[in-house]
Amino acid sequence: MSLAIVSFTFGQDEEPKFKVSGSVDAYFNANLTSQNDEDAFDDYSVFNDDTGFSSGLANVTLSYGGEKVGFIADLGYGPRMDTYNSGNAVNEAFMYWNVSDKVMLMMGRFNNWMGYESLSAANNFHYTMSHQFTYSTRNLDGIIARFDLGSDLRAGVGVMNPAEYSTGNTTGDFSIGAGITYKGKTGFSVLSSQSASYYDFKTAFKINENFNVKLNAHKADFGVDDASTGQQWTDSQVALVGLGAEGFTSFTAYPQLKIYDTLSWGLRLEYMMLDDEADTTVFTPTITVRYSVGDLTIIPELRVDRANEDLFRNYRNNPDNFNAAFTLAAVYTF
């Protein structure tokens, strides 16, 4: 349901229609190479996820609109919102106006348009999130203009609050975002927010009907004391600024293979480089299988993180540069 700046279509049904959709997900997660109690989560476990059984997200999206105007309200509740949306129940909430068949205006709160991942597990192939999604900006509040330039080119530009400021703006500053995409597959985006800046490139290749590859390159620059990035400390993880990083660069490949209509598998291969004194790097291969039974999708996933610094802890609770985790998730969509 997300109407991203650089991936959009114009026009709606002539008669306004009200629609309701959403998802519910839950998961079991276990570290395979480290402890699964509170001792495993400290300053070293910046990239670890919570363990045990948990609900993920109860998500409901409401939309109403016609040919000219309408709104979308994407609401969620659960640990996934607490972790990635600072507990804010509103993921997206905006109104749109199709000024013409070439121009659309939108105002409100939007999902970030960078990368391929979004908050709801129903909209992602992999259940766990990439480092790019976790440690970059995720939501924006402001006004956006989008343009159909013809020849399969789409563009957008927006004026917004500093990144991640979801309610009001106490800084006196604003962020500027812009992007362009070709055929909805290849695009470049940029966001400038106070002293922070973000750059994103993505493209996709369809090898055949059952096999495709997506590529994403992302760079984030922010100061250690820059509150505009939204890199806040939480109970279960430490923000990159806690490691002294002033930004990062990530390169990610998403090869995906459809075996049957109900069965597919994919890889997420992410290489992340931190802008810190130690030149920390993290390579994270993630293999995911998706099996669908009607509207229910079962997702077993194996994730490995290997760093050139000791960012994790092993079974003996000693610092280590390696962590492996297994996740079993279930996602129901409606």
Side-chain angles (χ1 to χ4, degrees):
M1 298 295 295
S2 175
L3 296 177
I5 275 186
V6 295
S7 178
F8 62 90
T9 57
F10 287 94
Q12 301 287 326
D13 296 332
E14 291 186 2
E15 293 296 326
K17 291 185 178 180
F18 181 74
K19 296 180 181 179
V20 179
S21 62
S23 65
V24 177
D25 67 87
Y27 68 90
F28 170 78
N29 186 65
N31 289 321
L32 303 179
T33 58
S34 63
Q35 298 179 10
N36 285 280
D37 55 25
E38 61 183 6
D39 291 334
F41 302 98
D42 54 22
D43 290 350
Y44 291 99
S45 56
V46 61
F47 298 114
N48 285 28
D49 291 321
D50 291 334
T51 59
F53 290 97
S54 178
S55 61
L57 178 68
N59 172 232
V60 176
T61 300
L62 311 174
S63 65
Y64 184 83
E67 183 178 2
K68 285 290 185 181
V69 297
F71 78 86
I72 288 178
D74 185 3
L75 311 175
Y77 180 80
R80 204 173 178 97
M81 291 292 286
D82 296 339
T83 299
Y84 297 110
N85 209 27
S86 301
N88 191 332
V90 179
N91 182 35
E92 288 191 297
F94 62 89
M95 290 67 65
Y96 65 85
W97 171 28
N98 287 315
V99 181
S100 70
D101 60 350
K102 299 292 185 180
V103 179
M104 174 187 281
L105 296 177
M106 306 188 320
M107 186 174 182
R109 178 173 175 82
F110 316 94
N111 279 333
N112 178 27
W113 57 84
M114 297 182 177
Y116 283 107
E117 300 177 23
S118 59
L119 179 66
S120 173
N123 296 331
N124 298 327
F125 188 92
H126 304 277
Y127 187 77
T128 63
M129 308 306 295
S130 67
H131 299 315
Q132 183 273 331
F133 179 87
T134 301
Y135 298 108
S136 188
T137 180
R138 291 180 294 274
N139 290 91
L140 303 167
D141 294 77
I143 186 169
I144 294 172
R146 304 188 309 187
F147 308 93
D148 183 349
L149 304 180
S151 301
D152 295 318
L153 284 174
R154 304 289 188 270
V157 61
V159 178
M160 297 152 292
N161 289 340
E164 306 291 351
Y165 273 59
S166 59
T167 304
N169 180 0
T170 60
T171 67
D173 297 306
F174 292 90
S175 62
I176 302 294
I180 189 168
T181 186
Y182 177 66
K183 291 187 175 180
K185 295 181 178 181
T186 301
F188 176 75
S189 305
V190 61
L191 175 67
S192 177
S193 178
Q194 290 178 286
S195 61
S197 58
Y198 306 86
Y199 308 89
D200 189 88
F201 173 80
K202 56 187 177 184
T203 189
F205 303 92
K206 187 176 182 179
I207 309 302
N208 56 44
E209 291 298 321
N210 298 318
F211 184 54
N212 67 84
V213 179
K214 298 176 181 177
L215 302 175
N216 180 226
H218 186 87
K219 182 174 178 57
D221 294 316
F222 47 82
V224 172
D225 297 324
D226 185 2
S228 73
T229 64
Q231 308 299 314
Q232 304 297 324
W233 298 73
T234 65
D235 292 336
S236 61
Q237 57 185 279
V238 180
L240 292 187
V241 293
L243 295 180
E246 296 186 3
F248 69 90
T249 301
S250 70
F251 299 97
T252 310
Y254 298 85
Q256 297 170 5
L257 176 64
K258 180 180 178 181
I259 301 176
Y260 304 108
D261 288 341
T262 58
L263 180 64
S264 58
W265 72 269
L267 287 171
R268 180 177 61 208
L269 304 172
E270 182 179 22
Y271 183 73
M272 183 183 192
M273 299 172 288
L274 299 187
D275 182 13
D276 61 359
E277 293 183 357
D279 292 327
T280 304
T281 62
V282 184
F283 177 57
T284 309
T286 303
I287 183 169
T288 303
V289 177
R290 297 175 62 91
Y291 178 67
S292 298
V293 183
D295 294 323
L296 175 67
T297 302
I298 301 171
I299 309 173
E301 184 169 286
L302 178 64
R303 173 176 179 148
V304 174
D305 285 273
R306 178 176 289 277
N308 66 343
E309 299 289 330
D310 291 337
L311 302 179
F312 312 100
R313 287 188 177 271
N314 57 27
Y315 273 121
R316 295 183 178 88
N317 205 27
N318 294 324
D320 204 331
N321 69 341
F322 179 84
N323 188 74
F326 173 76
T327 303
L328 178 63
V331 182
Y332 186 88
T333 58
F334 59 90

